[in-house]
């Protein structure tokens, strides 16, 4: 199908006005402020303890908010749905470790909507009780991923690595127990909160360590026309037929809508099916797709309507402002 046919399809679909799943979308900051308040009136849940990188991302997304720590990702979703907090800020992918699959699975099982994103640079520091020498530190405690990201540095110091639940939790335990000779790999904020000394900073082997966080809300906010660059995230499963994914992506490419991410996950509710002439077993997949588009745009809405023709499941997870800031600081979410 060429561009002309795509335009004809759009005209037809516009007349029909088929119903599309309503997305969450971000709005002007003044509307946001009037919706949930501002500053410390905004309560934002994150996973971890104070000083965690997730808390830093929450503060980058919602400056001066009141952060609410939760022990597990599931607890963050539950607290947001129960109106204990106004927003959730959760990690969805890391430049070194890849996607956080647990959160991709959880977003489909909860009725929350993506309303913002923030790219947060991870800067690992070596923390310990004050008054020691760096050569006195024989063990390093942190989250397994953080230890792996600092493996070269810790090896050069001949430090034994010990995995714990989270980065800031390691710092907190060392401070509370008064443990000498043991360091935590965590943030500088964790050192400040728990009275530890920063013996070294930027100790990760790869300096390009960035985590993408998404802000989630209970209520979908109607899309608003704006000149600000937007992203739209969707989840879709397709009919089992040749070229199904090609046809799905053509809905966007024919309308000059750029895709920034695609990832497949086995569909949890029906993971295995029989297909083909010999009825061989295969996985049924769900695709997570990010697009540079705003659901307020007719072009994007027509693309979604077109996609519905080949989709067996479709959910718009959210339409929200892109984080266009530099990685030295986070871009505040606007909803």
């Amino acid at each position: 199908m060429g561009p002309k046919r795509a335009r004809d399809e759009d005209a037809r679909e516009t007349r029909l006005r088929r119903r599309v799943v309503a997305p969450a979308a971000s709005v002007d900051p003044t509307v946001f402020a009037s919706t949930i308040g501002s500053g410390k009136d905004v309560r934002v849940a994150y996973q971890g303890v104070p000083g965690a990188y997730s808390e830093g991302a929450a503060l980058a997304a919602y400056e001066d908010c009141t952060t609410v720590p939760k022990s597990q990702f599931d607890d963050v979703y539950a607290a947001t749905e129960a109106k204990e907090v106004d927003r959730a800020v959760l990690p969805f992918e890391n430049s070194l470790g890849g996607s956080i699959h647990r959160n991709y699975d959880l977003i489909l099982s909860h009725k929350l909507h993506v309303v913002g994103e923030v790219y947060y640079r991870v800067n690992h520091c070596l923390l310990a009780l004050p008054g020691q020498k760096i050569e006195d530190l024989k063990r390093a405690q942190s989250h397994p991923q953080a230890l792996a990201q600092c493996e070269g540095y810790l090896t050069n110091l001949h430090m034994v690595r010990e995995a714990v639940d989270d980065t800031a939790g390691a710092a907190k335990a060392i401070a509370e127990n008064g443990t000498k000779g043991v360091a935590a790999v965590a943030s500088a904020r964790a050192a400040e909160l728990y009275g530890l000394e920063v013996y070294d900073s930027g100790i990760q082997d790869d300096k390009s360590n960035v985590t993408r966080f998404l802000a989630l809300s209970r209520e979908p906010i109607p899309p608003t026309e704006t000149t600000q660059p937007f992203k739209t995230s969707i989840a879709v499963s397709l009919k089992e037929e040749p070229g199904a994914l090609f046809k799905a992506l053509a809905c966007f490419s024919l309308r000059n809508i750029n895709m920034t991410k695609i990832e497949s996950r086995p569909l949890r509710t029906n993971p295995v099916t029989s297909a083909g002439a010999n009825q061989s077993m295969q996985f049924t997949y769900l695709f997570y797709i990010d697009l540079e588009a705003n659901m307020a745009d007719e072009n994007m809405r027509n693309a979604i309507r077109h996609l519905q023709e080949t989709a067996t499941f479709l959910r718009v997870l959210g339409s929200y402002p892109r984080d266009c800031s530099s990685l030295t600081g986070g871009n505040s979410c606007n909803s």
Side-chain angles (χ1 to χ4, degrees):
M1 181 172 68
K4 182 178 185 301
R5 185 178 172 186
R7 289 193 295 270
D8 292 341
E9 287 284 336
D10 289 352
R12 178 179 64 84
E13 290 162 355
T14 300
R15 290 193 299 270
L16 292 176
R17 294 297 181 185
R18 292 172 56 190
R19 182 178 180 273
V20 179
V21 179
S26 296
V27 296
D28 184 86
T30 57
V31 178
F32 166 56
S34 64
T35 303
I36 64 168
S38 60
K40 294 191 178 297
D41 292 335
V42 181
R43 293 172 57 82
V44 181
Y46 67 94
Q47 186 274 326
V49 300
Y53 292 109
S54 289
E55 185 193 35
L59 291 168
Y62 297 97
E63 190 176 1
D64 297 327
C65 70
T66 298
T67 55
V68 181
K70 295 294 177 182
S71 60
Q72 303 295 330
F73 290 140
D74 306 61
D75 300 329
V76 176
Y77 281 89
T80 310
E81 286 186 323
K83 300 182 180 181
E84 180 185 337
V85 297
D86 303 297
R87 295 288 185 268
V89 171
L90 289 163
F92 275 76
E93 54 185 324
N94 176 265
S95 59
L96 301 181
S99 295
I100 292 90
H101 293 134
R102 180 60 180 158
N103 280 327
Y104 276 102
D105 292 339
L106 283 171
I107 197 171
L108 283 183
S109 60
H110 291 269
K111 297 178 180 179
L112 297 179
H113 310 267
V114 184
V115 294
E117 68 172 0
V118 59
Y119 285 88
Y120 191 80
R121 184 181 293 279
V122 176
N123 183 41
H124 292 310
C125 300
L126 191 70
L127 317 180
L129 292 173
Q132 304 178 84
K133 296 180 179 179
I134 196 167
E135 53 265 30
D136 296 331
L137 305 175
K138 304 300 183 184
R139 295 150 53 203
Q141 297 179 346
S142 193
H143 186 277
Q145 193 174 67
L147 293 174
Q149 292 169 357
C150 304
E151 183 175 2
Y153 176 88
L154 298 174
T155 298
N156 289 336
L157 290 179
H158 307 289
M159 298 184 74
V160 176
R161 294 175 282 282
E162 298 175 353
V164 296
D165 287 342
D166 58 72
T167 57
K172 182 180 180 182
I174 290 171
E176 290 180 345
N177 297 327
T179 309
K180 292 191 174 183
V182 181
V185 176
S187 67
R189 175 173 168 79
E192 180 182 347
L193 290 173
Y194 302 117
L196 300 181
E197 183 177 334
V198 177
Y199 284 80
D200 204 351
S201 62
I203 66 173
Q204 59 271 15
D205 299 331
D206 190 331
K207 305 305 179 184
S208 59
N209 187 359
V210 179
T211 299
R212 180 187 179 218
F213 289 80
L214 296 181
L216 307 178
S217 170
R218 288 183 298 279
E219 299 86 10
I221 304 172
T224 302
E225 294 286 353
T226 177
T227 57
Q228 183 174 6
F230 262 58
K231 277 185 185 176
T232 295
S233 297
I234 66 173
V236 61
S237 61
L238 305 169
K239 298 174 183 177
E240 292 292 342
E241 61 183 18
L245 181 57
F246 172 80
K247 294 173 186 176
L249 297 182
C251 297
F252 304 105
S253 64
L254 289 170
R255 296 172 174 86
N256 293 317
I257 297 173
N258 187 45
M259 179 180 67
T260 60
K261 174 186 172 70
I262 183 170
E263 179 166 344
S264 61
R265 294 276 290 155
L267 191 62
R268 295 172 67 87
T269 55
N270 185 28
V272 180
T273 60
S274 297
N278 60 358
Q279 295 294 295
S280 61
M281 302 302 292
Q282 64 183 37
F283 284 113
T284 301
Y285 286 97
L286 184 72
F287 295 94
Y288 292 92
I289 303 174
D290 289 346
L291 301 144
E292 290 184 333
N294 187 344
M295 282 300 295
D297 297 335
E298 187 70 18
N299 193 43
M300 180 59 176
R301 293 198 297 271
N302 286 333
I304 293 294
R305 294 187 186 105
H306 190 178
L307 180 59
Q308 283 185 313
E309 295 178 2
T310 57
T312 57
F313 169 84
L314 174 62
R315 178 174 166 186
V316 179
L317 302 174
S319 191
Y320 48 92
R322 287 164 46 197
D323 182 355
C324 299
S325 63
S326 66
L327 290 175
T328 55
N331 181 36
S332 296
C333 296
N334 291 332
S335 69

